[in-house]
C-alpha cells in the first residue's frame, strides 16, 4: 500500500512552562488498487521532545518574546528540523499566558523559526481537547465505551474535556492552577485576583507580601480541589464555581465514569516534601486533589501523559485530513485563519434555502473592515444526493457567492459528507474564470471556527486541515 510520511510540530507556551515536540505521521492509501483513494493516518509517533523550560516573562503582563524565539530556534536546531520540513502543527499559547498583552505578537515573532504552516492557536476549548487527547482520555473512552473526563491542571488554568466513544462531547475551563500563587523565601509574592476573591469568600487571611502559611494554603487548595470536583459533577455545585470559570462550565450534568488528570499539577502527585520547591502552590494543590473525597470515590486512572499532554496533543492531534473525494482548481496553499460560516444542508428541502442562508451568514463579514475577508462555507451535505441535486446545489451556491463576494476570490466549501469532488466539479463548471474552487469533505466545523488548509499531500489526494476554535481569548 502507498504510504507517505509527514512531520508535525507542537509548541506549548504555557503559564508555567514552554515545551516542544516533533511527531512523525504516516499516511496510507487503504482504498486498494483501482478504487477511490482512502487516505488515513495509520501511525503517529513522537520523535523528539524538548526539555521543559519555565515560560520567560519580561513582566507580569508580557511574555519575553525574544527569549521564546531563542528557545524555539535552539530546539529546532537540536532536533535537526527545518521549518520547511513541516507539513502541519500548532503553536498553543495557553492558560494565563494567552491573556498577556503581547501574546499574539509573540506568535508572529516566532513564525520565522516555527514554520509557515505551524499555526498559532489559543483558546480554552481547543486546549482542553488537545490536552485530553494527548493524555489518552479520548483513546480510553473509545476502548472502554465509557464517559471519560480529563482535567489538565496547569499553572494558570484547568482545562476540562469530556469524551465519549473517542469523541469530544463537552469542554470547560476554570481559573484554577498551581502558579496562581507564587512563593519566595516564605512569603507570597504574587496572588491572582480570583484567588484573592476566593480567600475573601472563605475568610482565609492570605495576601501578597504576607507569610505563606502552609495551613492557610492547604485550606485554599482544598477549596480549589472541591471546585474541580464540582465542575465535573462529582460534588454538588457551590456558588463560587461560576465565578472561577474562565469561559464556561460543562453543559451536561452527567458525571463521568472515569476521571483522568494531566498537566503540571498532576505531575506533582506523590510529592510530599519541600512544598514550595517550584515557587508556587502546585504541590499543595496536587495533594489536595488526591485527598479530596469526591475524587477518592471516583474511578481515577493514570494519564498516558501528564506534563506533556497539551504539547503532544498539539503535535499529534491538531491536524485532520480531508476526505479523498475533493476538488481544487488552484493551489494557493497554505491558507491560514479562514473564518467559517456554517449553512444548514442536511435535507432536500434545505437546498432551495441556500441563497437566503448564505446571504444571512455572510453578513457577518459585510463590515467595511471585513469586506475583503476570505470566508469558508461549511455544511454537512446530503448523504447520497442525486445528480440533479448536486447540480442544483452547485448552481445556487455559485450564483449567490458571486453575488455576495464578487469574482477573483476562492470559493472554499467544507463538507462533512463524502461528496466534495462531485460538488466541487459542478461548482467549477459554473464558475470557471470567475473564481477558483476549493471543495473538501470529511471535515466538521461550525460558525465561529477558523480553518487552516495545508499543502496537499498523498499525491494531492488529501489536504491537511486544522480546525481552530477561539483564537486568543480576551
Amino acid at each position: 500500500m502507498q504510504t507517505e510520511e509527514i512531520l508535525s510540530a507542537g509548541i506549548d507556551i504555557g503559564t508555567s512552562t514552554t515545551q516542544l515536540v516533533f511527531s512523525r505521521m504516516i499516511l496510507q492509501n487503504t482504498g486498494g488498487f483501482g478504487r477511490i483513494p482512502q487516505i488515513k493516518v495509520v501511525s503517529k509517533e513522537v520523535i523528539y521532545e524538548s526539555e521543559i523550560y519555565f515560560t520567560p516573562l519580561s513582566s507580569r503582563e508580557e511574555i519575553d518574546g525574544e527569549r521564546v524565539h531563542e528557545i524555539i530556534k535552539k530546539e529546532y536546531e537540536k532536533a535537526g528540523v527545518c521549518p520547511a520540513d513541516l507539513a502541519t502543527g500548532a503553536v498553543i499559547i495557553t492558560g494565563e499566558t494567552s491573556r498577556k498583552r503581547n501574546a499574539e505578537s509573540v506568535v508572529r515573532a516566532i513564525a520565522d523559526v516555527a514554520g509557515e504552516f505551524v499555526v498559532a492557536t489559543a483558546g480554552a476549548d481547543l486546549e482542553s481537547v488537545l490536552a485530553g487527547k494527548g493524555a489518552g482520555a479520548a483513546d480510553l473512552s473509545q476502548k472502554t465505551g465509557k464517559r471519560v473526563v480529563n482535567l489538565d491542571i496547569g499553572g494558570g488554568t484547568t482545562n476540562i474535556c469530556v469524551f465519549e466513544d473517542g469523541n469530544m462531547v463537552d469542554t470547560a475551563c476554570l481559573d484554577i492552577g498551581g502558579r496562581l500563587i507564587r512563593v519566595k523565601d516564605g512569603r507570597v509574592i504574587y496572588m491572582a485576583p480570583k484567588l484573592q476573591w476566593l480567600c475573601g469568600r472563605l475568610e482565609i487571611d492570605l495576601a501578597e507580601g504576607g507569610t505563606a502559611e502552609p495551613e492557610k494554603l492547604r485550606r485554599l487548595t482544598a477549596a480549589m480541589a472541591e471546585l474541580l470536583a464540582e465542575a465535573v459533577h462529582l460534588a454538588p455545585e457551590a456558588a463560587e464555581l461560576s465565578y472561577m470559570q474562565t469561559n464556561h462550565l460543562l453543559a451536561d450534568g452527567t458525571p463521568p465514569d472515569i476521571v483522568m488528570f494531566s498537566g503540571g499539577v498532576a505531575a506533582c502527585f506523590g510529592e510530599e516534601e519541600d512544598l514550595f520547591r517550584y515557587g508556587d502552590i502546585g504541590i499543595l494543590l496536587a495533594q489536595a486533589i488526591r485527598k479530596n473525597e469526591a475524587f477518592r470515590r471516583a474511578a481515577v486512572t493514570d494519564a498516558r501523559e501528564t506534563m506533556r499532554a497539551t504539547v503532544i496533543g498539539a503535535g499529534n492531534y491538531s491536524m485532520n485530513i480531508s476526505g479523498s473525494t475533493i476538488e481544487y482548481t488552484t493551489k494557493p496553499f497554505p491558507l491560514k485563519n479562514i473564518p467559517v460560516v456554517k449553512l444548514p444542508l442536511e435535507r432536500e428541502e434545505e437546498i432551495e434555502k441556500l441563497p437566503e442562508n448564505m446571504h444571512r451568514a455572510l453578513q457577518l463579514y459585510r463590515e467595511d473592515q471585513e469586506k475583503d475577508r476570505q470566508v469558508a462555507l461549511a455544511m454537512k451535505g446530503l448523504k447520497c444526493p442525486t445528480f440533479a441535486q448536486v447540480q442544483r446545489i452547485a448552481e445556487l451556491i455559485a450564483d449567490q457567492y458571486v453575488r455576495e463576494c464578487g469574482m477573483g476570490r476562492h470559493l472554499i466549501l467544507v463538507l462533512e459528507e463524502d461528496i466534495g469532488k462531485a460538488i466541487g466539479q459542478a461548482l467549477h463548471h459554473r464558475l470557471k474564470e470567475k473564481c477558483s474552487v476549493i471543495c473538501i469533505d470529511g471535515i466538521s466545523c461550525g460558525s465561529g471556527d477558523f480553518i487552516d488548509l495545508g499543502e496537499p499531500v498523498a499525491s494531492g489526494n488529501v489536504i491537511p486541515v486544522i480546525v481552530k476554535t477561539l483564537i486568543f481569548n480576551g
Side-chain angles (χ1 to χ4, degrees):
M1 292 184 181
Q2 183 181 1
T3 63
E4 181 173 334
E5 177 183 302
I6 64 173
L7 291 182
S8 173
I11 301 171
D12 179 13
I13 304 170
T15 305
S16 301
T17 60
T18 291
Q19 51 189 313
L20 175 152
V21 299
F22 292 113
S23 300
R24 178 190 294 116
M25 300 184 188
I26 305 298
L27 306 183
Q28 187 175 84
N29 181 3
T30 62
F33 180 74
R35 299 180 182 176
I36 294 173
Q38 296 292 324
I39 312 299
K40 294 183 179 179
V41 179
V42 296
S43 172
K44 296 178 181 180
E45 176 191 8
V46 175
I47 58 173
Y48 179 81
E49 297 179 355
S50 76
E51 60 181 282
I52 297 173
Y53 300 86
F54 279 110
T55 297
L57 301 176
S58 54
S59 70
R60 283 189 183 181
E61 301 301 325
E62 292 194 341
I63 305 165
D64 188 338
E66 185 176 332
R67 179 68 184 125
V68 170
H69 184 282
E70 291 172 1
I71 289 170
I72 303 305
K73 184 177 180 180
K74 171 185 170 184
E75 290 298 335
Y76 269 60
E77 291 172 352
K78 284 172 64 177
V81 173
C82 298
D85 297 333
L86 298 166
T88 184
V91 180
I92 309 292
I93 294 192
T94 59
E96 281 208 314
T97 313
S98 67
R99 292 175 246 175
K100 301 299 183 187
R101 286 188 308 212
N102 63 334
E104 194 166 357
S105 64
V106 167
V107 168
R108 289 196 297 269
I110 66 173
D112 63 323
V113 289
E116 177 62 25
F117 193 64
V118 178
V119 297
T121 65
D125 292 326
L126 179 61
E127 185 186 350
S128 298
V129 175
L130 294 180
K133 289 183 174 181
D139 287 346
L140 184 62
S141 72
Q142 190 167 39
K143 290 173 184 175
T144 62
K146 303 285 189 180
R147 184 181 176 90
V148 180
V149 65
N150 184 68
L151 295 92
D152 188 76
I153 312 168
T157 56
T158 296
N159 293 93
I160 300 169
C161 193
V162 182
F163 296 91
E164 289 181 357
D165 298 320
N167 299 311
M168 180 276 290
V169 296
D170 209 351
T171 63
C173 186
L174 299 180
D175 287 323
I176 290 179
R179 209 153 174 79
L180 295 180
I181 291 181
R182 296 177 204 160
V183 177
K184 186 176 181 180
D185 300 326
R187 306 196 76 79
V188 175
I189 61 170
Y190 169 73
M191 192 171 184
K194 284 197 177 182
L195 289 195
Q196 295 177 23
W197 176 87
L198 187 58
C199 282
R201 290 277 293 185
L202 301 174
E203 298 182 351
I204 300 173
D205 184 18
L206 280 169
E208 284 186 15
T211 304
E213 298 181 42
E215 286 312 307
K216 291 180 180 178
L217 289 169
R218 287 190 193 279
R219 281 185 60 204
L220 176 62
T221 52
M224 293 164 71
E226 184 66 14
L227 287 168
L228 294 179
E230 294 169 15
V232 296
H233 305 295
L234 292 174
E237 187 175 317
E240 291 80 10
L241 183 61
S242 62
Y243 182 78
M244 299 301 292
Q245 66 180 325
T246 307
N247 54 358
H248 55 80
L249 301 174
L250 296 180
D252 188 337
T254 307
D257 301 309
I258 300 173
V259 177
M260 189 178 284
F261 295 97
S262 62
V265 170
C268 294
F269 286 166
E271 295 199 33
E272 299 293 336
E273 305 299 325
D274 193 5
L275 297 179
F276 304 121
R277 64 177 297 190
Y278 301 114
D280 56 33
I281 59 170
I283 292 176
L284 284 168
L285 180 55
Q287 291 177 357
I289 291 167
R290 299 290 275 185
K291 293 176 181 176
N292 180 270
E293 285 300 319
F295 286 126
R296 286 171 66 89
R297 291 191 300 267
V300 177
T301 191
D302 291 337
R304 182 171 60 203
E305 294 284 345
T306 52
M307 280 290 288
R308 297 187 186 274
T310 302
V311 72
I312 287 177
N316 276 13
Y317 297 101
S318 60
M319 184 194 76
N320 301 293
I321 58 172
S322 71
S324 305
T325 52
I326 63 175
E327 179 77 7
Y328 50 92
T329 59
T330 185
K331 292 182 68 175
F333 310 106
L335 292 170
K336 299 169 66 175
N337 291 335
I338 307 298
V340 174
V341 292
K342 189 158 190 178
L343 310 176
L345 183 64
E346 294 184 53
R347 300 183 301 276
E348 181 180 355
E349 56 267 30
E350 291 172 326
I351 294 175
E352 296 303 319
K353 297 179 182 177
L354 274 170
E356 176 188 345
N357 288 328
M358 281 180 64
H359 175 73
R360 186 180 301 115
L362 289 169
Q363 291 311 301
L364 292 170
Y365 298 96
R366 281 292 152 294
E367 299 296 329
D368 286 345
Q369 68 271 24
E370 297 284 1
K371 64 182 179 182
D372 295 322
R373 185 76 182 262
Q374 177 70 64
V375 178
L377 303 175
M379 57 191 72
K380 184 174 178 62
L382 276 64
K383 195 166 189 64
C384 296
T386 65
F387 176 81
Q389 287 172 335
V390 168
Q391 297 304 309
R392 183 59 174 159
I393 289 168
E395 178 187 2
L396 293 171
I397 290 176
D399 290 348
Q400 190 66 26
Y401 192 77
V402 170
R403 191 176 297 120
E404 295 276 352
C405 302
M407 297 185 289
R409 276 188 290 177
H410 314 298
L411 194 170
I412 303 174
L413 193 61
V414 183
L415 297 153
E416 293 181 41
E417 295 292 352
D418 189 22
I419 54 174
K421 184 169 284 294
I423 297 285
Q425 289 179 341
L427 285 167
H428 177 53
H429 176 72
R430 282 166 173 76
L431 291 168
K432 290 185 179 175
E433 303 303 320
K434 294 179 181 178
C435 64
S436 58
V437 173
I438 301 169
C439 190
I440 63 174
D441 58 28
I443 299 294
S444 176
C445 53
S447 293
D449 288 346
F450 290 71
I451 58 170
D452 290 353
L453 305 178
E455 292 280 355
V457 295
S459 302
N461 286 308
V462 296
I463 293 174
V465 181
I466 291 182
V467 179
K468 301 186 287 189
T469 302
L470 300 181
I471 299 182
F472 290 107
N473 281 342

